[in-house]
Amino acid sequence: MPGTVQSIERAAAVLRLLAGGAGRLSLAEISRSLDLAKGTTHGILQTLRKVGFVEQDRASGHYQLGAAMLRLGTGYLDVNELRSRSINWADPLAARSGEAVRIGTVLEGQVLVVHHVFRPDDTFQTLDVGSLLPMHATALGKALLAYGATPPARLDRFTSRTLISHRELATALRAVREAGWSTDIEEYTPGEASIAAPIRAYGGLVVGAIGISGHVERICDSHYQPRPPLVVNVRDAARAVSRDLGAARR
């Protein structure tokens, strides 16, 4: 039997490291973590960048997983599997938060809602399964964009709070990676806010997102900030679904 190909092993190690990180990593951090020479690490990263598996931030020079890796992740993971693995955790999240729960994944530059749990009250609600939501104006979309999905070339405005500048969006996505969760506050629908967190599969690839949405007064406090207990609930649900999909504990 032929031996393993060292360069492929090293490239795989780089991808696993980036997939498991909470944000972008520098060349020095990657080199040190994998005990590789900087020159070797740089060559691997540049090759991965050329094929779209890795992206490099122009301002900092740091690296993260690229859009091609996200497409591979969502390609191997059937939408029905994402939905079936999420159901057991979406219902409890709706019960704990008192808000509607949606699970989404990337489809042709938008967020496809694959599962929707109604808010646990008697108000009239419409099922959103199959709906397409904008990436840049929703918490679900930002959670996907922050970990490799490609931003739309045009950022449409939906409310006065919608981010329509790519620079502003990039800043917001950096904050998502640092925090591990995303939000939109009246960016898509006036009077509504949402909180979301990424869902990871085996190897750490982000293949979807889970989040809650509701009236801004319930989601946010008097300072217009998402309520911490709701953030904890969303992140816990995302971790639980991720574990069911084979992701390592985080």
Side-chain angles (χ1 to χ4, degrees):
M1 293 292 290
T4 58
V5 179
Q6 188 181 59
S7 59
I8 296 178
E9 285 186 330
R10 289 174 170 176
V14 169
L15 293 173
R16 283 195 295 268
L17 180 64
L18 292 174
R24 294 188 177 99
L25 297 176
S26 68
L27 171 62
E29 289 171 326
I30 297 170
S31 174
R32 184 171 57 252
S33 296
L34 300 178
D35 196 23
L36 294 174
K38 282 188 178 181
T40 300
T41 307
H42 183 264
I44 293 171
L45 286 167
Q46 292 308 304
T47 300
L48 293 172
R49 185 181 62 80
K50 288 180 180 178
V51 298
F53 286 179
V54 164
E55 293 177 354
Q56 186 177 21
D57 181 66
R58 292 182 179 180
S60 67
H62 291 189
Y63 297 89
Q64 66 174 19
L65 290 182
M69 283 302 296
L70 182 67
R71 287 194 291 271
L72 283 179
T74 54
Y76 98 82
L77 179 70
D78 185 87
V79 167
N80 288 328
E81 182 180 2
L82 175 61
R83 181 177 182 274
S84 64
R85 298 283 185 172
S86 303
I87 286 175
N88 290 336
W89 305 105
D91 287 343
L93 176 58
R96 285 194 297 269
S97 65
E99 304 296 345
V101 174
R102 294 177 179 83
I103 293 115
T105 190
V106 179
L107 178 65
E108 298 179 354
Q110 299 182 83
V111 181
L112 171 67
V113 178
V114 300
H115 187 57
H116 178 198
V117 179
F118 283 161
R119 184 173 57 255
D121 60 25
D122 295 329
T123 59
F124 175 78
Q125 300 173 68
T126 304
L127 188 66
D128 287 345
V129 172
S131 299
L132 292 171
L133 305 175
M135 300 280 282
H136 66 290
T138 60
L140 289 174
K142 289 180 189 175
L144 296 167
L145 286 173
Y147 295 96
T150 303
R154 175 181 171 182
L155 304 180
D156 292 328
R157 182 186 294 278
F158 297 96
T159 74
S160 61
R161 298 179 62 88
T162 305
L163 300 179
I164 58 172
S165 160
H166 281 277
R167 179 176 296 180
E168 290 179 333
L169 179 60
T171 299
L173 297 181
R174 280 196 293 271
V176 171
R177 287 188 290 272
E178 291 172 0
W181 55 277
S182 59
T183 186
D184 87 76
I185 301 173
E186 297 188 303
E187 295 173 43
Y188 184 48
T189 303
E192 291 194 4
S194 58
I195 302 168
I199 294 173
R200 298 175 183 270
Y202 181 79
L205 289 176
V206 172
V207 295
I210 184 170
I212 61 172
S213 60
H215 290 307
V216 67
E217 293 83 2
R218 296 197 304 265
I219 300 293
C220 299
D221 60 22
S222 59
H223 300 289
Y224 227 53
Q225 295 298 313
R227 299 181 188 276
L230 295 179
V231 173
V232 171
N233 288 341
V234 171
R235 295 196 69 186
D236 285 349
R239 291 190 186 104
V241 178
S242 297
R243 288 195 298 269
D244 278 359
L245 290 170
R249 292 179 178 272
R250 298 173 63 84

